Amino acid sequence: MSEKILHSYSGIFDTPDEIIHAAEKTVEAGYTKFDVNTPYPIHGMPKAMNLEPSKLGYAALVFGLSGTLTALFVMYWMAAIDYPITVGGKPFFAFPKYIPIMFEVTVLAAAIGTVSTMLFFFFKFPNNAHPLHDTSYMKKVSSDKYGLIIQADDPKFNEDEVKVFFASLHAKDVEPVYYDMEDINASPKIYDKKFIGGLALTFILVSGITYFTLNKLMFMVPFNWMMYQDKLTVQEKSSVFPDEFGVRAPVAGTVARGFMPYEFPNEPELAGEVLLNPLVPTEKNLALGKKKYDTYCSPCHGDFGDGDSRLRGQFPNPPSLHSEKVRNWSDGRIFHVITMGQNIMPSYSSQLTREEKWATVLYVRALERSKNAKESDLK
Amino acid sequence: MSSSQSNVDYQHKPLPSSFTKIGTALLAIGLIIVIIGYFIDPTRAAFNNLILLMFLVSIGLGSLFLVGIEYLGGAVWSTPFRRITEFLASVLIVIPIIAIPVYMHMHDLYHWTHNEAVQADKLLKGKEPYLNLEFFTIRIVVFLLIWLAFYFLLTKNSKKQDTSKDQGLTKKNIKISAIFMPFFALTITFSAIDWMMSLEPHWFSTIYGVYYFSGTMLAALAATTYLLIYLNERKLLFKGLNQDHYYSFGALLFAFTNFWAYIAFSQFLLIYYANMPEETFWYLARWEGSWIVFSIGLIIVHFVVPYFGLLSQPSKMNPKRLKFMSLWILFAHFYDLYWLIMPTYNKEGIVFGWMELGFPLLAVGIVALMFGLKANKQNLIPVGDPKLIRGINFRL
């Protein structure tokens, strides 16, 4: 056993009024290093103890403002400088929409910063020992009593005087509080080998289990839930065929069911001569043609085929569909352009079926007719 | 409790005569300017009259709310100052008189009162079942009756308690306050919608009532804080009033400054973000011409200055600072109402002249005079209230 050192004298009171009175008297008696412990905050205590307002507010202010500015800078830099994206038609640096986030980050930074300051600066973390811990005094004041201590390092402290002083306050259970120098000098409990070992073990277990689950377990039957199967998917190598292609080309001379290949991929003039429109201009066919034209053709050719693109010059505008040349083309020639594309215009085979292409041709014919009507149309 | 009642060392003294004199003078000057204003430019005067009306509703109804919430919450710290809020609530008695000129100039103020305009406008026609003169009149009369009824009920019981010391009256008032609260919430929302939001009948904002309420609370708290410090400096209240009482009012003013900013910004952000033409035009109107200066000024006057003025703990306890900030907040609330109402009168820019000065003078005069009349007749603290002693001994 090492030597016991006197930390303070403690006294117990029964009511909040008594403790307020005791605190006032202690201040009057000139003690400066004393403290009051109560089970709950008592109104008027800061004044009775003559406490200065806490300086913690300044830490909150500094941390809060740094949060505000960090949020503002981060959003400004990301959204207006490094990777500008238009969101909701707003300017890149749209201050109003930043305010809620600035507010949130302010609160977060202020809260975390204030608590950390309190722990590390005022409570001297990781030191977690205090002479009052594990005393009968602390047990009483954490349930239903009100306690006052006068510390031994107070300049006015004198053991006998303090005892008399406590008696004059009618304090109960006046007793000294001792502490071990060893306890104070001992390294904090969190550097304990067992604690560190426990932390390391937890770390290894958690990361090991996570690694096993995500990298091994998920590939075992039945935990993979049939996610991975033996069939080949796109871009995978085949071990069966010598050329190792997983996706096979069709057998020469065959076509897939329901698929009709285009007969004249490289012969536009021949297509114009040979192909005939199988559709008649009924209301239904024209409506289908209009729908497809408005969806796929109008973005570049314009709603009425004038070549007035809605894309505002992001692509070269196509020529008008009302030109002499196009009007003199046969239906099959236009069908060829839709199927194979022309100049910068791509093929529309994957978007339109044969029937839809012919319907679109009908609608283009109707558009041409509307601008260059024959005299007989007026009758 | 009855034994401790006798401990209250209170003698009723009248207010300094300068208080009512200044009040009367302001009232007289204001009234003259207002009457001249009505002769020269009735439309402009009517718009200013509407600001005056809403300002007085803020003080009167906000104070009545403070009285009610104190009973309902069982608040102890504010009991010694309940009389100040009760006297301020007496402004409600004047409200019907102030509302009459507004009612007489309905056609100048409200676009939706023009029948031919309503018939030509699909949107207004859809709103016609609510926005029509008959229903409007009924609503306003009902609101005024509700406010006056609760004002008289609450203050009558409170006054009776001074002599009878009957604790049952507190219980009675708690019940009345509980009934008052839902009525308060509905009437303040719909009066703000009827009197102010319907100035722009095409525009709508569901948070408008809360926005007006936040300003109301600030105005009522600021007026109470100012008068509390004024009375205490002249030793007209009780002994033992200390910084903890001041701090509570300072903290409430600070809290509601933030509440106002929160609500105002919520309203703005939603409209800004959705960017729908039927909503944004209201803000655009306040962003054109010299109104842009006024709108930016609103942020500074109503939020930045009170926020930093009341941020630190000592500033919430310092009577000088509190006095200045409460007057500032009253000014800010007037500024806010001007910002809400006047852009409808003149779209081009700010209108400011002698007429805009006359109405605030009249407002201050009315509040001072109503307060003075009540304060000279009644005790300045509720001497019969069972919570009084605990309120006086309140410590943080």
Side-chain angles (χ1 to χ4, degrees), chain A residues 172-224:
Chain A
K172 284 165 197 155
D173 303 336
V174 178
E175 52 190 25
V177 177
Y178 292 105
Y179 66 102
D180 257 328
M181 207 53 217
E182 253 176 37
D183 275 354
I184 296 302
N185 287 337
S187 67
K189 286 252 165 60
I190 64 160
Y191 294 144
D192 190 78
K193 268 180 201 146
K194 269 186 203 163
F195 182 72
I196 298 283
L199 267 188
L201 194 67
T202 315
F203 174 77
I204 292 165
L205 274 180
V206 170
S207 44
I209 291 169
T210 311
Y211 179 84
F212 174 74
T213 310
L214 294 179
N215 291 287
K216 304 285 173 211
L217 190 70
M218 294 300 283
F219 296 91
M220 292 176 191
V221 181
F223 304 106
N224 60 3

Short mmCIF file of all heavy atoms in Angstrom, two decimals, chain A residues 172-224:
data_model
loop_
_atom_site.label_atom_id
_atom_site.label_comp_id
_atom_site.label_asym_id
_atom_site.label_seq_id
_atom_site.Cartn_x
_atom_site.Cartn_y
_atom_site.Cartn_z
N LYS A 172 -23.69 16.88 7.14
CA LYS A 172 -23.65 15.54 7.71
C LYS A 172 -22.49 14.76 7.08
O LYS A 172 -22.04 15.12 5.98
CB LYS A 172 -24.96 14.82 7.43
CG LYS A 172 -26.07 15.32 8.33
CD LYS A 172 -27.42 14.87 7.82
CE LYS A 172 -28.49 15.71 8.47
NZ LYS A 172 -29.69 15.76 7.66
N ASP A 173 -22.11 13.70 7.72
CA ASP A 173 -21.08 12.78 7.18
C ASP A 173 -19.83 13.53 6.71
O ASP A 173 -19.36 13.30 5.58
CB ASP A 173 -21.65 11.95 6.01
CG ASP A 173 -22.87 11.19 6.42
OD1 ASP A 173 -22.99 10.92 7.63
OD2 ASP A 173 -23.67 10.86 5.54
N VAL A 174 -19.33 14.45 7.51
CA VAL A 174 -18.12 15.15 7.09
C VAL A 174 -16.95 14.19 7.16
O VAL A 174 -16.68 13.61 8.21
CB VAL A 174 -17.87 16.37 7.99
CG1 VAL A 174 -16.58 17.07 7.58
CG2 VAL A 174 -19.05 17.32 7.92
N GLU A 175 -16.32 13.94 6.03
CA GLU A 175 -15.20 13.01 6.05
C GLU A 175 -14.18 13.39 4.99
O GLU A 175 -14.51 14.02 3.98
CB GLU A 175 -15.69 11.58 5.83
CG GLU A 175 -16.56 11.42 4.61
CD GLU A 175 -17.20 10.04 4.59
OE1 GLU A 175 -17.35 9.42 5.67
OE2 GLU A 175 -17.54 9.59 3.49
N PRO A 176 -12.90 13.00 5.24
CA PRO A 176 -11.86 13.31 4.25
C PRO A 176 -11.91 12.33 3.08
O PRO A 176 -12.37 11.21 3.23
CB PRO A 176 -10.57 13.13 5.05
CG PRO A 176 -10.92 12.20 6.14
CD PRO A 176 -12.37 12.37 6.46
N VAL A 177 -11.47 12.82 1.94
CA VAL A 177 -11.36 11.96 0.75
C VAL A 177 -9.88 11.83 0.42
O VAL A 177 -9.19 12.84 0.26
CB VAL A 177 -12.12 12.57 -0.45
CG1 VAL A 177 -11.93 11.71 -1.68
CG2 VAL A 177 -13.58 12.74 -0.12
N TYR A 178 -9.39 10.59 0.38
CA TYR A 178 -7.96 10.36 0.09
C TYR A 178 -7.81 9.78 -1.30
O TYR A 178 -8.74 9.23 -1.87
CB TYR A 178 -7.38 9.38 1.10
CG TYR A 178 -7.32 9.95 2.49
CD1 TYR A 178 -8.23 9.54 3.46
CD2 TYR A 178 -6.33 10.87 2.83
CE1 TYR A 178 -8.19 10.07 4.73
CE2 TYR A 178 -6.28 11.39 4.10
CZ TYR A 178 -7.20 10.98 5.05
OH TYR A 178 -7.16 11.50 6.30
N TYR A 179 -6.63 9.93 -1.82
CA TYR A 179 -6.34 9.24 -3.06
C TYR A 179 -4.91 8.73 -3.04
O TYR A 179 -4.08 9.19 -2.26
CB TYR A 179 -6.58 10.12 -4.28
CG TYR A 179 -5.65 11.31 -4.41
CD1 TYR A 179 -4.59 11.28 -5.30
CD2 TYR A 179 -5.88 12.47 -3.67
CE1 TYR A 179 -3.76 12.39 -5.43
CE2 TYR A 179 -5.05 13.56 -3.79
CZ TYR A 179 -3.99 13.52 -4.68
OH TYR A 179 -3.18 14.60 -4.81
N ASP A 180 -4.64 7.74 -3.90
CA ASP A 180 -3.33 7.14 -4.03
C ASP A 180 -2.55 7.87 -5.10
O ASP A 180 -3.09 8.07 -6.19
CB ASP A 180 -3.50 5.67 -4.48
CG ASP A 180 -3.31 4.75 -3.32
OD1 ASP A 180 -2.51 5.12 -2.44
OD2 ASP A 180 -3.96 3.69 -3.31
N MET A 181 -1.33 8.21 -4.80
CA MET A 181 -0.50 8.81 -5.86
C MET A 181 -0.35 7.80 -7.00
O MET A 181 -0.32 8.17 -8.16
CB MET A 181 0.86 9.18 -5.27
CG MET A 181 1.52 10.34 -6.00
SD MET A 181 0.43 11.76 -6.09
CE MET A 181 0.88 12.35 -7.71
N GLU A 182 -0.28 6.52 -6.61
CA GLU A 182 -0.12 5.47 -7.62
C GLU A 182 -1.28 5.49 -8.62
O GLU A 182 -1.09 5.36 -9.82
CB GLU A 182 -0.09 4.11 -6.94
CG GLU A 182 1.28 3.48 -6.92
CD GLU A 182 1.26 2.20 -6.16
OE1 GLU A 182 0.26 1.46 -6.27
OE2 GLU A 182 2.23 1.93 -5.44
N ASP A 183 -2.49 5.66 -8.08
CA ASP A 183 -3.66 5.67 -8.95
C ASP A 183 -3.58 6.78 -9.99
O ASP A 183 -3.94 6.60 -11.14
CB ASP A 183 -4.93 5.89 -8.11
CG ASP A 183 -5.42 4.60 -7.54
OD1 ASP A 183 -4.84 3.56 -7.91
OD2 ASP A 183 -6.37 4.63 -6.73
N ILE A 184 -3.13 7.94 -9.52
CA ILE A 184 -3.09 9.08 -10.42
C ILE A 184 -2.00 8.90 -11.46
O ILE A 184 -2.17 9.22 -12.64
CB ILE A 184 -2.87 10.37 -9.62
CG1 ILE A 184 -4.04 10.61 -8.68
CG2 ILE A 184 -2.69 11.58 -10.55
CD1 ILE A 184 -5.38 10.73 -9.35
N ASN A 185 -0.83 8.36 -11.01
CA ASN A 185 0.27 8.21 -11.94
C ASN A 185 0.11 7.01 -12.85
O ASN A 185 0.76 6.94 -13.90
CB ASN A 185 1.59 8.09 -11.18
CG ASN A 185 1.99 9.43 -10.60
OD1 ASN A 185 1.55 10.47 -11.10
ND2 ASN A 185 2.78 9.42 -9.54
N ALA A 186 -0.71 6.05 -12.40
CA ALA A 186 -0.89 4.86 -13.22
C ALA A 186 -1.39 5.27 -14.59
O ALA A 186 -2.14 6.23 -14.74
CB ALA A 186 -1.89 3.92 -12.56
N SER A 187 -0.92 4.50 -15.59
CA SER A 187 -1.36 4.87 -16.94
C SER A 187 -2.86 4.61 -17.04
O SER A 187 -3.39 3.70 -16.39
CB SER A 187 -0.61 4.03 -17.97
OG SER A 187 -0.99 2.69 -17.86
N PRO A 188 -3.55 5.43 -17.83
CA PRO A 188 -5.00 5.30 -17.88
C PRO A 188 -5.43 3.89 -18.27
O PRO A 188 -4.70 3.19 -18.97
CB PRO A 188 -5.40 6.30 -18.96
CG PRO A 188 -4.29 7.27 -19.00
CD PRO A 188 -3.05 6.54 -18.62
N LYS A 189 -6.61 3.54 -17.85
CA LYS A 189 -7.11 2.17 -18.04
C LYS A 189 -7.18 1.78 -19.51
O LYS A 189 -7.10 0.61 -19.84
CB LYS A 189 -8.50 2.06 -17.41
CG LYS A 189 -8.46 2.00 -15.90
CD LYS A 189 -8.80 0.61 -15.40
CE LYS A 189 -8.42 0.42 -13.94
NZ LYS A 189 -9.09 1.36 -13.04
N ILE A 190 -7.33 2.78 -20.40
CA ILE A 190 -7.52 2.36 -21.80
C ILE A 190 -6.22 1.86 -22.40
O ILE A 190 -6.21 1.27 -23.46
CB ILE A 190 -8.12 3.47 -22.68
CG1 ILE A 190 -7.17 4.66 -22.79
CG2 ILE A 190 -9.48 3.90 -22.24
CD1 ILE A 190 -7.49 5.51 -24.01
N TYR A 191 -5.03 2.10 -21.72
CA TYR A 191 -3.79 1.54 -22.22
C TYR A 191 -3.52 0.15 -21.65
O TYR A 191 -2.48 -0.43 -21.90
CB TYR A 191 -2.61 2.47 -21.90
CG TYR A 191 -2.71 3.79 -22.62
CD1 TYR A 191 -2.31 4.98 -22.03
CD2 TYR A 191 -3.24 3.84 -23.92
CE1 TYR A 191 -2.41 6.19 -22.70
CE2 TYR A 191 -3.35 5.04 -24.59
CZ TYR A 191 -2.93 6.22 -23.98
OH TYR A 191 -3.05 7.40 -24.64
N ASP A 192 -4.47 -0.35 -20.89
CA ASP A 192 -4.35 -1.67 -20.30
C ASP A 192 -4.19 -2.73 -21.39
O ASP A 192 -4.81 -2.64 -22.45
CB ASP A 192 -5.63 -1.95 -19.50
CG ASP A 192 -5.48 -3.19 -18.68
OD1 ASP A 192 -4.84 -3.11 -17.63
OD2 ASP A 192 -6.01 -4.24 -19.11
N LYS A 193 -3.29 -3.72 -21.11
CA LYS A 193 -3.01 -4.72 -22.14
C LYS A 193 -4.27 -5.47 -22.56
O LYS A 193 -4.52 -5.74 -23.73
CB LYS A 193 -1.98 -5.72 -21.63
CG LYS A 193 -0.56 -5.30 -21.97
CD LYS A 193 0.42 -6.31 -21.44
CE LYS A 193 1.80 -5.68 -21.32
NZ LYS A 193 2.55 -6.19 -20.19
N LYS A 194 -5.09 -5.82 -21.54
CA LYS A 194 -6.31 -6.59 -21.84
C LYS A 194 -7.24 -5.78 -22.74
O LYS A 194 -7.82 -6.31 -23.69
CB LYS A 194 -7.05 -6.91 -20.53
CG LYS A 194 -6.64 -8.23 -19.93
CD LYS A 194 -7.52 -8.52 -18.75
CE LYS A 194 -6.85 -9.47 -17.80
NZ LYS A 194 -7.49 -9.46 -16.49
N PHE A 195 -7.36 -4.48 -22.43
CA PHE A 195 -8.27 -3.63 -23.22
C PHE A 195 -7.80 -3.52 -24.65
O PHE A 195 -8.56 -3.70 -25.61
CB PHE A 195 -8.37 -2.26 -22.56
CG PHE A 195 -9.31 -1.32 -23.26
CD1 PHE A 195 -10.68 -1.52 -23.19
CD2 PHE A 195 -8.83 -0.26 -24.01
CE1 PHE A 195 -11.55 -0.66 -23.83
CE2 PHE A 195 -9.69 0.60 -24.65
CZ PHE A 195 -11.05 0.39 -24.56
N ILE A 196 -6.49 -3.25 -24.80
CA ILE A 196 -5.93 -3.11 -26.15
C ILE A 196 -6.06 -4.44 -26.89
O ILE A 196 -6.44 -4.48 -28.07
CB ILE A 196 -4.44 -2.69 -26.07
CG1 ILE A 196 -4.31 -1.33 -25.38
CG2 ILE A 196 -3.80 -2.68 -27.44
CD1 ILE A 196 -4.67 -0.15 -26.23
N GLY A 197 -5.76 -5.53 -26.16
CA GLY A 197 -5.89 -6.85 -26.77
C GLY A 197 -7.31 -7.12 -27.21
O GLY A 197 -7.55 -7.63 -28.31
N GLY A 198 -8.26 -6.75 -26.35
CA GLY A 198 -9.68 -6.93 -26.70
C GLY A 198 -10.05 -6.16 -27.94
O GLY A 198 -10.73 -6.67 -28.84
N LEU A 199 -9.55 -4.90 -28.00
CA LEU A 199 -9.83 -4.07 -29.18
C LEU A 199 -9.27 -4.74 -30.43
O LEU A 199 -9.96 -4.84 -31.46
CB LEU A 199 -9.18 -2.70 -29.03
CG LEU A 199 -10.00 -1.58 -28.42
CD1 LEU A 199 -9.23 -0.27 -28.54
CD2 LEU A 199 -11.33 -1.43 -29.15
N ALA A 200 -8.01 -5.21 -30.33
CA ALA A 200 -7.36 -5.82 -31.49
C ALA A 200 -8.13 -7.07 -31.91
O ALA A 200 -8.37 -7.29 -33.10
CB ALA A 200 -5.91 -6.16 -31.15
N LEU A 201 -8.53 -7.86 -30.91
CA LEU A 201 -9.26 -9.08 -31.22
C LEU A 201 -10.58 -8.76 -31.93
O LEU A 201 -10.95 -9.39 -32.94
CB LEU A 201 -9.54 -9.85 -29.92
CG LEU A 201 -9.99 -11.29 -30.10
CD1 LEU A 201 -8.87 -12.13 -30.69
CD2 LEU A 201 -10.45 -11.88 -28.77
N THR A 202 -11.30 -7.75 -31.40
CA THR A 202 -12.56 -7.34 -32.03
C THR A 202 -12.31 -6.91 -33.47
O THR A 202 -13.04 -7.29 -34.39
CB THR A 202 -13.18 -6.16 -31.26
OG1 THR A 202 -13.10 -6.45 -29.88
CG2 THR A 202 -14.62 -5.93 -31.67
N PHE A 203 -11.23 -6.15 -33.66
CA PHE A 203 -10.91 -5.65 -34.99
C PHE A 203 -10.66 -6.81 -35.95
O PHE A 203 -11.23 -6.88 -37.05
CB PHE A 203 -9.68 -4.75 -34.91
CG PHE A 203 -9.17 -4.30 -36.23
CD1 PHE A 203 -9.81 -3.28 -36.93
CD2 PHE A 203 -8.06 -4.90 -36.82
CE1 PHE A 203 -9.35 -2.86 -38.15
CE2 PHE A 203 -7.60 -4.49 -38.05
CZ PHE A 203 -8.25 -3.47 -38.72
N ILE A 204 -9.85 -7.77 -35.47
CA ILE A 204 -9.50 -8.90 -36.34
C ILE A 204 -10.75 -9.74 -36.64
O ILE A 204 -11.01 -10.11 -37.79
CB ILE A 204 -8.41 -9.76 -35.69
CG1 ILE A 204 -7.11 -8.97 -35.66
CG2 ILE A 204 -8.23 -11.07 -36.44
CD1 ILE A 204 -6.06 -9.57 -34.75
N LEU A 205 -11.56 -9.99 -35.58
CA LEU A 205 -12.76 -10.80 -35.78
C LEU A 205 -13.72 -10.14 -36.77
O LEU A 205 -14.19 -10.77 -37.71
CB LEU A 205 -13.47 -11.02 -34.44
CG LEU A 205 -12.99 -12.19 -33.60
CD1 LEU A 205 -13.79 -12.28 -32.31
CD2 LEU A 205 -13.14 -13.49 -34.40
N VAL A 206 -14.00 -8.86 -36.54
CA VAL A 206 -15.00 -8.18 -37.39
C VAL A 206 -14.50 -8.13 -38.82
O VAL A 206 -15.23 -8.48 -39.77
CB VAL A 206 -15.29 -6.76 -36.85
CG1 VAL A 206 -16.11 -5.97 -37.86
CG2 VAL A 206 -16.01 -6.84 -35.53
N SER A 207 -13.24 -7.74 -39.03
CA SER A 207 -12.77 -7.63 -40.41
C SER A 207 -12.65 -9.02 -41.04
O SER A 207 -12.96 -9.19 -42.22
CB SER A 207 -11.46 -6.87 -40.49
OG SER A 207 -10.59 -7.30 -39.48
N GLY A 208 -12.24 -10.03 -40.24
CA GLY A 208 -12.13 -11.38 -40.78
C GLY A 208 -13.48 -11.91 -41.21
O GLY A 208 -13.63 -12.44 -42.32
N ILE A 209 -14.50 -11.74 -40.34
CA ILE A 209 -15.83 -12.25 -40.68
C ILE A 209 -16.37 -11.51 -41.91
O ILE A 209 -16.95 -12.11 -42.81
CB ILE A 209 -16.78 -12.09 -39.48
CG1 ILE A 209 -16.36 -13.05 -38.37
CG2 ILE A 209 -18.22 -12.34 -39.89
CD1 ILE A 209 -17.06 -12.80 -37.06
N THR A 210 -16.13 -10.21 -41.97
CA THR A 210 -16.61 -9.44 -43.11
C THR A 210 -15.95 -9.94 -44.39
O THR A 210 -16.60 -10.16 -45.42
CB THR A 210 -16.30 -7.95 -42.91
OG1 THR A 210 -16.72 -7.57 -41.63
CG2 THR A 210 -16.99 -7.11 -43.96
N TYR A 211 -14.63 -10.14 -44.31
CA TYR A 211 -13.91 -10.61 -45.49
C TYR A 211 -14.43 -11.98 -45.93
O TYR A 211 -14.74 -12.20 -47.11
CB TYR A 211 -12.41 -10.70 -45.20
CG TYR A 211 -11.61 -11.19 -46.38
CD1 TYR A 211 -11.20 -10.30 -47.37
CD2 TYR A 211 -11.29 -12.54 -46.52
CE1 TYR A 211 -10.50 -10.75 -48.46
CE2 TYR A 211 -10.59 -12.99 -47.61
CZ TYR A 211 -10.19 -12.09 -48.59
OH TYR A 211 -9.50 -12.53 -49.67
N PHE A 212 -14.58 -12.87 -44.96
CA PHE A 212 -15.05 -14.22 -45.28
C PHE A 212 -16.44 -14.18 -45.91
O PHE A 212 -16.71 -14.84 -46.92
CB PHE A 212 -15.05 -15.07 -44.00
CG PHE A 212 -15.64 -16.43 -44.19
CD1 PHE A 212 -14.94 -17.43 -44.86
CD2 PHE A 212 -16.92 -16.72 -43.71
CE1 PHE A 212 -15.49 -18.67 -45.04
CE2 PHE A 212 -17.48 -17.96 -43.90
CZ PHE A 212 -16.76 -18.94 -44.57
N THR A 213 -17.32 -13.37 -45.33
CA THR A 213 -18.69 -13.31 -45.82
C THR A 213 -18.74 -12.80 -47.25
O THR A 213 -19.38 -13.39 -48.12
CB THR A 213 -19.53 -12.39 -44.92
OG1 THR A 213 -19.33 -12.77 -43.59
CG2 THR A 213 -21.01 -12.46 -45.28
N LEU A 214 -18.04 -11.69 -47.51
CA LEU A 214 -18.18 -11.05 -48.81
C LEU A 214 -17.36 -11.76 -49.89
O LEU A 214 -17.73 -11.70 -51.06
CB LEU A 214 -17.76 -9.58 -48.71
CG LEU A 214 -18.66 -8.71 -47.83
CD1 LEU A 214 -18.14 -7.29 -47.80
CD2 LEU A 214 -20.09 -8.72 -48.36
N ASN A 215 -16.26 -12.39 -49.52
CA ASN A 215 -15.39 -12.95 -50.55
C ASN A 215 -15.46 -14.46 -50.69
O ASN A 215 -15.07 -14.99 -51.71
CB ASN A 215 -13.95 -12.52 -50.30
CG ASN A 215 -13.77 -11.04 -50.55
OD1 ASN A 215 -13.78 -10.60 -51.69
ND2 ASN A 215 -13.63 -10.29 -49.49
N LYS A 216 -15.87 -15.17 -49.65
CA LYS A 216 -15.92 -16.63 -49.73
C LYS A 216 -17.36 -17.16 -49.63
O LYS A 216 -17.83 -17.86 -50.51
CB LYS A 216 -15.09 -17.24 -48.59
CG LYS A 216 -13.65 -16.78 -48.56
CD LYS A 216 -12.82 -17.43 -49.66
CE LYS A 216 -11.43 -16.83 -49.71
NZ LYS A 216 -10.85 -16.82 -51.04
N LEU A 217 -18.01 -16.76 -48.53
CA LEU A 217 -19.32 -17.36 -48.24
C LEU A 217 -20.31 -17.11 -49.36
O LEU A 217 -21.08 -18.00 -49.75
CB LEU A 217 -19.85 -16.78 -46.92
CG LEU A 217 -21.09 -17.46 -46.37
CD1 LEU A 217 -20.72 -18.86 -45.87
CD2 LEU A 217 -21.69 -16.65 -45.22
N MET A 218 -20.29 -15.91 -49.95
CA MET A 218 -21.27 -15.56 -50.96
C MET A 218 -21.09 -16.37 -52.25
O MET A 218 -21.91 -16.32 -53.15
CB MET A 218 -21.19 -14.07 -51.30
CG MET A 218 -21.58 -13.14 -50.17
SD MET A 218 -23.26 -13.40 -49.61
CE MET A 218 -24.16 -12.60 -50.90
N PHE A 219 -19.96 -17.10 -52.34
CA PHE A 219 -19.73 -17.91 -53.54
C PHE A 219 -19.98 -19.38 -53.29
O PHE A 219 -19.70 -20.21 -54.14
CB PHE A 219 -18.30 -17.67 -54.04
CG PHE A 219 -18.09 -16.25 -54.47
CD1 PHE A 219 -17.64 -15.29 -53.57
CD2 PHE A 219 -18.39 -15.86 -55.76
CE1 PHE A 219 -17.47 -13.98 -53.97
CE2 PHE A 219 -18.23 -14.55 -56.16
CZ PHE A 219 -17.77 -13.60 -55.26
N MET A 220 -20.45 -19.73 -52.08
CA MET A 220 -20.71 -21.12 -51.75
C MET A 220 -22.19 -21.42 -51.91
O MET A 220 -23.02 -20.58 -51.58
CB MET A 220 -20.32 -21.42 -50.30
CG MET A 220 -18.83 -21.36 -50.05
SD MET A 220 -18.58 -21.61 -48.31
CE MET A 220 -16.88 -21.18 -48.15
N VAL A 221 -22.47 -22.64 -52.40
CA VAL A 221 -23.86 -23.09 -52.45
C VAL A 221 -24.29 -23.40 -51.02
O VAL A 221 -23.51 -24.00 -50.28
CB VAL A 221 -23.95 -24.35 -53.33
CG1 VAL A 221 -25.40 -24.84 -53.42
CG2 VAL A 221 -23.38 -24.07 -54.71
N PRO A 222 -25.43 -23.05 -50.51
CA PRO A 222 -26.49 -22.31 -51.21
C PRO A 222 -26.46 -20.81 -50.94
O PRO A 222 -27.42 -20.13 -51.26
CB PRO A 222 -27.74 -22.93 -50.58
CG PRO A 222 -27.34 -23.17 -49.15
CD PRO A 222 -25.86 -23.48 -49.18
N PHE A 223 -25.36 -20.29 -50.34
CA PHE A 223 -25.38 -18.87 -49.94
C PHE A 223 -25.27 -17.93 -51.13
O PHE A 223 -25.47 -16.74 -51.00
CB PHE A 223 -24.26 -18.61 -48.94
CG PHE A 223 -24.34 -19.49 -47.74
CD1 PHE A 223 -23.46 -20.53 -47.56
CD2 PHE A 223 -25.34 -19.27 -46.80
CE1 PHE A 223 -23.56 -21.35 -46.46
CE2 PHE A 223 -25.43 -20.09 -45.69
CZ PHE A 223 -24.55 -21.14 -45.52
N ASN A 224 -24.91 -18.46 -52.28
CA ASN A 224 -24.80 -17.56 -53.44
C ASN A 224 -26.14 -17.32 -54.10
O ASN A 224 -26.24 -16.52 -55.02
CB ASN A 224 -23.80 -18.14 -54.44
CG ASN A 224 -24.24 -19.49 -54.92
OD1 ASN A 224 -25.30 -19.98 -54.56
ND2 ASN A 224 -23.42 -20.11 -55.74
#
